[in-house]
Amino acid sequence: MTALLSEDQGTALAVTRTTRVILIAHGSPDARHARSVARLAGRLRSRLGVDVFPAYLEHDDPEAADLMAAPAPPTVGHTIVLPLLLTAGFHWFHDIPVVLAHDGHTSALLAPPEPALFAPAIEQHLGSAKHVVLASAGSARPEIVQRFDALAQALPGRRVDVALTPGAVADHAGPQTTVVPVLAADGVFGDRVRAAAASVGASVTPVLGDTEEFARTLADLVLPIAVAPNQQG
C-alpha cells in the first residue's frame, strides 16, 4: 500500500540505507532534459546517502511504468517515489496513477511541493534584482496559478510577475528584469524562456532544477519521510 505524503506530513520511520528514491521526470526528446535529471539524482544521492534512480514518463529510459512494475531488489526496504513535478497538474492526476497501477512495493509517494518552498533557492540567484519574472509551464487549473502567485509573494521586496508561457515572459520582462526559469529540468522550454528574455534584454538565472539549492529543498522534503510497517508493499 502506498502512503501519499505532502511536505507538511510527518511519519515515523526515518530514511535508511535500505531506502531507495525513484525520481520520476517527464522525459523529453531533448537529451539535456535527461542530463539535468541525472545531475539532480546525483545531488540527491549525495545529500540523502541512499540510491536515487531517475525514471521517465515518456521519451527516455527507463520508463517509470516499467521500473515500478519490476520487483524491487531484495536489498530495498522502502521505496519513495518523488515525481519531479512542480505542480499537481495533468501528469500528477493522469500519468502518475497509471505508473503506480501495477506497483506493489512503493512505501511513500511524495506529492508535488508548494512552489513557495523554493523561494529561498530562487533568492540565492537574484542578487539585487528589483523586478523578477517567474517563468514556468502554464496550466488551466486555477489552483496551479495560485501556487505560483504564492511563490511570487514569498519573494518580498521585489516586483514579481508570473509568466506561464514564453510569450508572457516577453510581455512582462524588460532590460532591468531577472527571469527565473522555474523548471525542474532544462530543455526546449528553457530555450524558449531564454529566447523570450533575450528579446527584451532581460537577464536569466539558471534553470531552478539545475541548482544545488533545488536539490537541497527536495532532500529536505524526503529526509523526514517515514512509512509505518503496515504501509509497506
Side-chain angles (χ1 to χ4, degrees):
M1 176 180 177
T2 300
L4 172 60
L5 302 177
S6 60
E7 66 268 14
D8 58 353
Q9 288 178 294
T11 47
L13 184 72
V15 172
T16 70
R17 293 281 180 180
T18 62
T19 299
R20 69 170 176 173
V21 175
I22 296 181
L23 188 65
I24 299 182
H26 182 277
S28 171
D30 188 325
R32 290 174 298 172
H33 177 88
R35 289 198 293 266
S36 280
V37 175
R39 286 193 295 270
L40 175 58
R43 292 184 180 114
L44 288 173
R45 191 177 298 117
S46 296
R47 291 185 175 278
L48 296 171
V50 300
D51 288 330
V52 180
F53 298 97
Y56 302 90
L57 296 174
E58 57 184 354
H59 298 299
D60 293 300
D61 292 323
E63 290 191 7
D66 292 342
L67 183 60
M68 298 310 302
T75 55
V76 172
H78 303 87
T79 295
I80 297 171
V81 173
L82 175 58
L84 194 52
L85 304 173
L86 297 181
T87 60
F90 177 86
H91 297 301
W92 172 254
F93 289 105
H94 295 274
D95 292 334
I96 297 300
V98 171
V99 166
L100 297 180
H102 302 291
D103 162 47
H105 49 73
T106 295
S107 300
L109 170 62
L110 193 66
E114 292 290 338
L117 288 176
F118 298 108
I122 291 171
E123 285 276 11
Q124 295 293 316
H125 297 271
L126 294 182
S128 60
K130 296 300 182 185
H131 181 212
V132 175
V133 172
L134 303 174
S136 194
S139 172
R141 302 178 69 92
E143 63 270 26
I144 292 177
V145 176
Q146 292 170 4
R147 285 161 69 97
F148 279 101
D149 287 343
L151 172 57
Q153 294 170 14
L155 297 169
R158 312 172 192 270
R159 174 188 162 197
V160 183
D161 292 309
V162 176
L164 297 181
T165 66
V169 172
D171 292 340
H172 287 295
Q176 304 303 314
T177 303
T178 297
V179 176
V180 181
V182 186
L183 306 170
D186 206 353
V188 173
F189 196 91
D191 285 344
R192 292 172 180 166
V193 169
R194 286 184 286 267
S199 73
V200 294
S203 61
V204 185
T205 70
V207 167
L208 180 61
D210 265 341
T211 65
E212 289 288 348
E213 295 82 7
F214 182 78
R216 182 183 302 117
T217 302
L218 288 185
D220 287 345
L221 295 177
V222 173
L223 275 173
I225 288 178
V227 183
N230 63 1
Q231 291 178 310
Q232 298 175 22

